[in-house]
Amino acid sequence: MTLLSKPSPIPGVRGTDAARNGRPPTIDDVAALAGVGRATVSRALNDQAHVSDKMRDKVMRAVEALDYRVNPQARNLASRASNTLTLINCNALDAPPNSYYFAAIELGALRAAAAAGFELSTFNIHVEDLRRDDRLIELFESGRSTGLILSPPLSADLALAHRLIARGCPVVCISPSDEVRALLPSVGFDEEAAGYAIAQHVVAAGHRRFGYMLGIEGHLAAEHRFAGFLRALAEVGLDARAVTALRGDFSFRSGVELAEALLAGPERPSAIVCANDDMAVGAMFAAHRMSLAMPGDLSVVGFDDAPVAAYIWPPLTTIHQPIRRIAARAVERLIEVLLRGQGAGIAGFDTIDHHLVLRESVAPPRC
């Protein structure tokens, strides 16, 4: 960037002391050098009406002389999008949405945004989209959003985090990877501890042979739950051979399909642990269809504490993931970043408490 202690004379443009102190030039410096008002500079830069060709030319020559760069965050805050926060949801192309998770996260974010006088929009993107990162950057730089909230699996994408930081895009992440957590403000809970608590419970009930339904590839939060599950098994002398793990997509349909595969295998598990409640309900549906009694023939555990967990038969033991509170806190963190003008935001992780909800879907195995 070229900084001028005494700007070269520009015909029709008076001098200014802009950039003498080593700071980047501002819109006020441009206005001073061009000899116009701040509002005129803004209208000229945004190609709005009511600016003559002569005045626009003066502004653009001042911009060039100062090597002025438009700050996208400042532009957004001054525009119609200044009160618009965007929640980014991402899922596999062919996968049905994780219905309760997305609904709860949107509701929590919407309530927090409304309470603070902000608007909330949602932006759905496919995890396989080759231009997904560019689309998010365009969303911010176009002025349609003043800040983003990333949910998994995007919140685990280190390369995306670096690109958003470089663009000065305000971002808060929900359940990020450890690497992203070190770079950006984020909110979540201890996923590994939650998986550990589930394993402790089913092991204490006497189970030693398990089926485990993983989430979509790259969903690191769900992978951390599985790591906690394995850690608890190791503490009682059980290794990964005690678990048959199959990968699903968080949908009811995949829960049905995976349960059928697990229960038809040569070493049928006495307990199935699922990465979310939708898959757990699918597993229970498959077990009912196979005339298995629950929890006598099969115990099932879920994750999320979706409303259906309390009404399915038998009522589902699950982890209460505080989704709405996590989303609300993410919005609060993003607003703090915006009000303090912190660019992409200062790293720091807010932990929200979770707990195991004991219902009737777990019992000692019959054999």
Side-chain angles (χ1 to χ4, degrees), residues 104-118:
I105 205 170
E106 185 171 340
L107 180 59
L110 183 63
R111 287 178 174 173
F118 282 74

Side-chain angles (χ1 to χ4, degrees), residues 214-272:
L214 298 161
I216 62 174
E217 191 80 40
H219 196 296
L220 293 188
E223 299 298 315
H224 288 159
R225 300 169 198 169
F226 186 49
F229 182 85
L230 294 178
R231 178 168 68 89
L233 296 191
E235 289 184 358
V236 296
L238 297 172
D239 59 24
R241 291 174 296 181
V243 185
T244 300
L246 301 178
R247 188 168 298 282
D249 60 14
F250 295 117
S251 69
F252 172 87
R253 181 190 63 199
S254 71
V256 174
E257 293 171 351
L258 297 185
E260 289 174 344
L262 289 167
L263 297 172
E267 297 185 35
R268 193 167 80 185
S270 62
I272 294 178

Side-chain angles (χ1 to χ4, degrees), residues 270-328:
S270 62
I272 294 178
V273 177
C274 307
N276 77 330
D277 288 346
D278 282 359
M279 288 198 295
V281 172
M284 296 172 79
F285 175 85
H288 282 305
R289 194 160 62 180
M290 296 172 71
S291 299
L292 296 176
M294 290 180 287
D297 294 331
L298 178 70
S299 291
V300 179
V301 181
F303 207 103
D304 282 347
D305 197 21
V308 68
Y311 302 113
I312 192 74
W313 185 259
L316 181 64
T317 291
T318 185
I319 288 286
H320 176 75
Q321 181 180 185
I323 303 171
R324 281 180 286 182
R325 179 64 196 126
I326 288 171

